[in-house]
């Protein structure tokens, strides 16, 4: 595969599928994993906690953008300064999708 083909495929995914992560989302992954506790809770556990909460997306988005403390123990989550509100919303939807995608 050529570099041009790879770049075209990446741009297609970013534009039409929304599957390319923001660099700041990778910051989230420094403290969170899908199934295992790292510093913060696993993404699946977050999804499960907010499963029946109609305000889940807004709450997760707010926590990502502003930080939070006391929800999951003593360690505070700092705000993710590089994350845009649109990226935070997309990432919150991804987290909540783990309720459906759970094995």
């Amino acid at each position: 595969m050529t570099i041009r083909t790879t770049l075209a495929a990446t741009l297609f995914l970013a534009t039409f599928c929304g599957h390319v992560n923001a660099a700041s989302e990778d910051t989230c992954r420094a403290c969170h994993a899908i199934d295992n506790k790292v510093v913060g809770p696993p993404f699946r556990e977050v999804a499960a906690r907010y499963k029946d909460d109609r305000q889940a997306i807004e709450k997760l988005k707010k926590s990502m953008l502003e930080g939070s403390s006391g929800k999951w123990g003593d360690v505070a989550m700092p705000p993710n300064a590089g994350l845009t509100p649109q990226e935070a919303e997309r990432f919150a939807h991804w987290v909540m999708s783990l309720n459906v995608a759970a094995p």
Side-chain angles (χ1 to χ4, degrees), residues 19-34 38 43 64 79-84 87-88 90-91 94-95:
H19 292 300
V20 176
N21 290 341
S24 51
E25 288 177 21
D26 290 333
T27 303
C28 299
R29 296 179 204 306
C31 293
H32 299 273
I34 291 181
V38 181
F43 290 127
M64 288 180 223
N80 196 334
L83 198 64
T84 68
E87 291 167 336
R90 183 171 52 83
F91 198 62
W94 174 81
V95 169

Side-chain angles (χ1 to χ4, degrees), residues 50-63:
Y50 289 97
K51 183 177 182 179
D52 296 320
D53 188 336
R54 293 175 153 240
Q55 299 298 314
I57 299 300
E58 286 304 313
K59 287 177 180 178
L60 294 175
K61 181 178 167 182
K62 182 177 179 179
S63 290

